[in-house]
Amino acid sequence: MSTSMHQRPGSSPQDAQLSIAYGTAPATTAQGPDRSDILARYEHWVHRTPDAPAVEDGALVWSYAEVDALASVVAESLRGRVSPGDLVGVCLDRSAALVAVAVGLARLGAVYLPLGPRPGERRLAAVTERLGVPCLVGDPALLPEAYRTGDTLSLPLPAEGANAAGSVVAAFRAAPAEDAGQAVPPGTFYAVLTSGSTGTPKAVAVGGASLGALLDWYQAYTGAGPGDRHSLLIGVSFDPHVKELWTALTSGGALSVPPEEVRWDPDALTGWWRRAQVSVAVLPTPLAEAVLERPWPGLPALRHLVVGGDRLRRRPAPQVTARVHNAYGPAEATVVTTVHHVEADDSDTAPPPIGTPIDGAVVCVTDESGRVVPRGETGELRIGGSVLSLGYLDAGLTAARFVAPPDGVAGTERVYRTGDRVRMRPDGVLDFLGRLDDQVKVSGVRIELAEVEAAFEHHPNVRRAAVAVRTAAGGVSRLVAFVLPVPGQPVPTADELIREARGWLPEQAVPAVVRFLDGFPLDANGKVDRAALLAAEAAETAAAPDGAAPLTPAEELVLRLCRDLLGNPALGTGDNFAAAGGNSLSTARLLTAIEEQCGVRLRAPQVLRQPDLRALAALVDAKRGAADLAGV
């Protein structure tokens, strides 16, 4: 496991007073000539254990030899059309096909750009145009017009599995992008989109060297090896899935593909862990908290549960048999920068820290002028060392965010300014305190409010939009959009704006509520006062009559739970849970609350199929009545 600076050779006594910490220097290993050659590390296991499972999806199993054969087909199909260093956008979900495509692109030396199975159409079109992406891989029905009308090449990949696409094609642009795209740094292994303050996503280029360093640390940290089963659960558009995928393939383990419902239901998730015998799992923070809130089931195979993406607020109960780790790291620092093993401690009510730097990482805390602050003071976290990505596919942005290290920080030529506010304890452990800017976390996803606002401002009848974050029960965050219409033009409906925003934004970034205003309140600095917007919206909502009042005790209960979870006191029994902003995480919390208060166990699809909250309450009554009869 990584350590603080006290184990770094050559550390000075001054380091113990300043907010600087160093992970253990990566060990020299004889396991291969080049640990940054990710493909060679994978091929080692193809040759050594060709019949071992590489991907498991329910009853379906693909061996290392079978995955390698599929990857070879992908590589040979694209050879001559895709060159080393080319960006290839991958619009697939977690599946054997995704794994084969990732390996095939590595074999070509192309850059894997994971976009997820259903990226917003307009967002996808804008990203591929700006980056000059020559090829997309995915379901042909979901690709942008610029690719559907160009050359397409069918890829013979498995259509079986929980999340598999019915057909997969490689689609090439019908015409070159208007500009030459942004230069991909040499040595880039994959690229990933993060939310951008300019209104469009930023693309981070990650090299094989930093990914190899991450895999070395993670495999040692978890003891990953042959026979392990790693979850492939994180959404494909988010970079932790890259860690899941390549950790398994470079350590001789298997990737376990979950059915979709496990992302909504803590009981379904732990049941799948048991059936699939998952030994190393990664979860987004909100879902992990929902799991840790429940009684821990028997999971003898699960050794490690790695949690990340948001501020962790819960500690594991003493009954939790897996080791729980709170991980922190931006995409710009290759998935994980710091980690903390979270012990069970009922007496400690403070959020668990984000810990100490992993092997090869350098972290420091600075003030506004860039000077390192003493330990115990708050400031901005800056990251350096072998974990750093190559930068953005935008030289200007890279220069602004990847800067020279502060005085006193050794072992790195540059540091990344995270914009995160932290405090380093006297022992070198970091506490995460929040953001320094308008970037927020919603359902574990990093979102720039400016990008969400820009999505609304694409509408010709929207003059300006401001987006604020409202925190509901259990710490669940929701986005509220405040819109100024163009004077003299028809005012668009809230449903229309939300529908169009989905084309520009990932699901987690789409606001649940839209409010129309004549003007925005400003703070003392002349900026939009988001706190005042939320306060006025809450007062207006509280004064408004209910859309439909509850008529039965079950309706009253369901309405109260949904209002608390969604942070919307104006909900009525005639409202639809999903349309009101319910997503996978709030659904999981609703299932838990209904079971705790009614003794009724529902499944996520049952909740989401109900047309309104009155129908959901009727379902709760019916289930409760059936349970009472069964007990007679």
Side-chain angles (χ1 to χ4, degrees):
M1 177 177 173
S2 301
T3 63
S4 67
M5 67 89 211
H6 297 291
Q7 294 185 18
R8 181 180 70 90
S11 60
S12 68
Q14 183 187 28
D15 293 340
Q17 305 301 319
L18 295 176
S19 295
I20 305 171
Y22 298 85
T24 301
T28 302
T29 176
Q31 294 184 37
D34 184 1
R35 300 295 289 169
S36 69
D37 189 339
I38 309 301
L39 185 64
R41 295 170 66 165
Y42 151 77
E43 289 176 337
H44 167 80
W45 295 103
V46 174
H47 298 309
R48 181 175 176 181
T49 58
D51 297 327
V55 180
E56 298 178 337
D57 190 335
L60 302 170
V61 180
W62 289 266
S63 68
Y64 271 82
E66 289 168 330
V67 166
D68 199 56
L70 291 170
S72 295
V73 170
V74 171
E76 290 308 312
S77 298
L78 298 181
R79 197 176 301 279
R81 302 293 301 272
V82 172
S83 302
D86 280 352
L87 287 168
V88 177
V90 180
C91 303
L92 296 173
D93 207 343
R94 298 146 295 132
S95 60
L98 175 76
V99 176
V101 169
V103 175
L105 294 179
R107 186 155 285 155
L108 287 172
V111 177
Y112 173 73
L113 175 63
L115 299 171
R118 290 177 179 81
E121 182 175 357
R122 291 180 175 179
R123 182 175 192 256
L124 179 59
V127 165
T128 52
E129 177 72 25
R130 183 168 56 85
L131 299 182
V133 177
C135 176
L136 288 180
V137 175
D139 185 332
L142 301 176
L143 300 182
E145 182 69 19
Y147 293 85
R148 289 199 298 266
T149 57
D151 293 339
T152 60
L153 180 65
S154 179
L155 298 178
L157 293 169
E160 304 87 4
N163 314 301
S167 63
V168 179
V169 301
F172 301 89
R173 290 190 67 93
E178 292 183 3
D179 55 34
Q182 298 176 351
V184 177
T188 301
F189 188 81
Y190 73 90
V192 65
L193 301 181
T194 68
S195 193
S197 59
T198 61
T200 55
K202 300 172 291 188
V204 181
V206 180
S210 63
L211 178 58
L214 171 73
L215 297 177
D216 281 341
W217 165 78
Y218 191 54
Q219 288 168 7
Y221 187 77
T222 60
D228 273 321
R229 289 174 170 85
H230 300 258
S231 63
L232 187 59
L233 181 141
I234 301 297
V236 174
S237 58
F238 307 120
D239 60 323
H241 92 276
V242 177
K243 175 174 66 108
E244 292 180 307
L245 191 154
W246 287 107
T247 295
L249 296 183
T250 58
S251 63
L255 287 160
S256 291
V257 178
E260 182 63 21
E261 61 265 21
V262 308
R263 301 174 72 191
W264 301 72
D265 188 332
D267 279 352
L269 171 63
T270 54
W272 169 69
W273 278 343
R274 186 184 303 107
R275 293 191 305 276
Q277 299 183 48
V278 171
S279 49
V280 180
V282 180
L283 283 185
T285 305
L287 183 54
E289 289 179 335
V291 170
L292 294 175
E293 287 169 356
R294 305 179 66 79
W296 187 255
L299 295 169
L302 186 65
R303 301 197 317 273
H304 295 279
L305 174 58
V306 181
V307 180
D310 210 337
R311 191 178 187 186
L312 183 64
R313 295 171 175 83
R314 289 195 64 87
R315 295 175 181 273
Q319 295 75 26
V320 175
T321 52
R323 289 173 62 86
V324 178
H325 313 281
N326 190 28
Y328 162 88
E332 291 86 349
T334 319
V335 189
V336 177
T337 302
T338 67
V339 70
H340 182 77
H341 171 221
V342 185
E343 301 276 4
D345 187 352
D346 293 336
S347 64
D348 191 348
T349 58
I354 57 174
T356 53
I358 71 169
D359 296 351
V362 179
V363 298
C364 61
V365 186
T366 64
D367 61 18
E368 293 181 357
S369 63
R371 292 190 295 264
V372 179
V373 301
R375 296 192 178 190
E377 293 189 10
T378 63
E380 180 185 16
L381 177 62
R382 301 191 185 203
I383 301 170
S386 62
V387 299
L388 284 187
S389 70
L390 299 173
Y392 300 105
L393 301 186
D394 181 321
L397 187 57
T398 300
R401 299 300 296 273
F402 291 80
V403 299
D407 291 342
V409 176
T412 185
E413 296 180 354
R414 58 193 182 126
V415 292
Y416 168 66
R417 298 189 59 179
T418 67
D420 287 331
R421 189 165 60 91
V422 300
R423 178 192 301 112
M424 185 175 288
R425 299 176 180 180
D427 60 359
V429 173
L430 287 167
D431 287 309
F432 180 84
L433 304 176
R435 287 291 301 172
L436 295 171
D437 53 21
D438 287 338
Q439 194 179 73
V440 298
K441 285 286 186 74
V442 177
S443 298
V445 178
R446 199 158 44 124
I447 293 167
E448 292 276 4
L449 297 182
E451 183 177 356
V452 184
E453 291 164 355
F456 281 82
E457 291 166 357
H458 283 297
H459 194 287
N461 292 350
V462 171
R463 177 160 53 104
R464 190 177 176 190
V467 175
V469 183
R470 180 172 58 199
T471 301
V476 177
S477 297
R478 294 287 179 270
L479 297 180
V480 181
F482 300 89
V483 173
L484 300 184
V486 173
Q489 297 296 319
V491 178
T493 66
D495 287 344
E496 177 185 353
L497 291 179
I498 289 175
R499 185 170 60 250
E500 294 197 11
R502 291 185 190 281
W504 293 101
L505 301 169
E507 174 192 356
Q508 294 86 347
V510 178
V513 178
V514 176
R515 302 293 189 203
F516 294 94
L517 302 175
D518 296 326
F520 290 150
L522 303 179
D523 61 18
N525 296 320
K527 296 183 179 181
V528 174
D529 190 336
R530 291 184 170 87
L533 285 172
L534 288 172
E537 192 265 345
E540 177 185 341
T541 299
D546 290 345
L551 301 176
T552 68
E555 288 182 12
E556 185 174 351
L557 172 66
V558 167
L559 187 60
R560 175 172 58 79
L561 293 176
C562 293
R563 284 175 172 176
D564 288 345
L565 285 170
L566 301 181
N568 185 357
L571 277 181
T573 56
D575 289 315
N576 176 273
F577 181 73
N583 58 20
S584 59
L585 297 172
S586 55
T587 301
R589 291 183 179 277
L590 179 60
L591 293 172
T592 299
I594 289 174
E595 183 175 11
E596 288 176 349
Q597 301 209 26
C598 302
V600 171
R601 180 67 185 148
L602 300 179
R603 309 294 286 184
Q606 292 176 301
V607 171
L608 298 174
R609 281 198 300 264
Q610 304 309 312
D612 53 35
L613 301 186
R614 179 165 286 137
L616 177 57
L619 177 64
V620 171
D621 270 338
K623 290 284 187 179
R624 189 156 46 183
D628 290 343
L629 286 174
V632 173

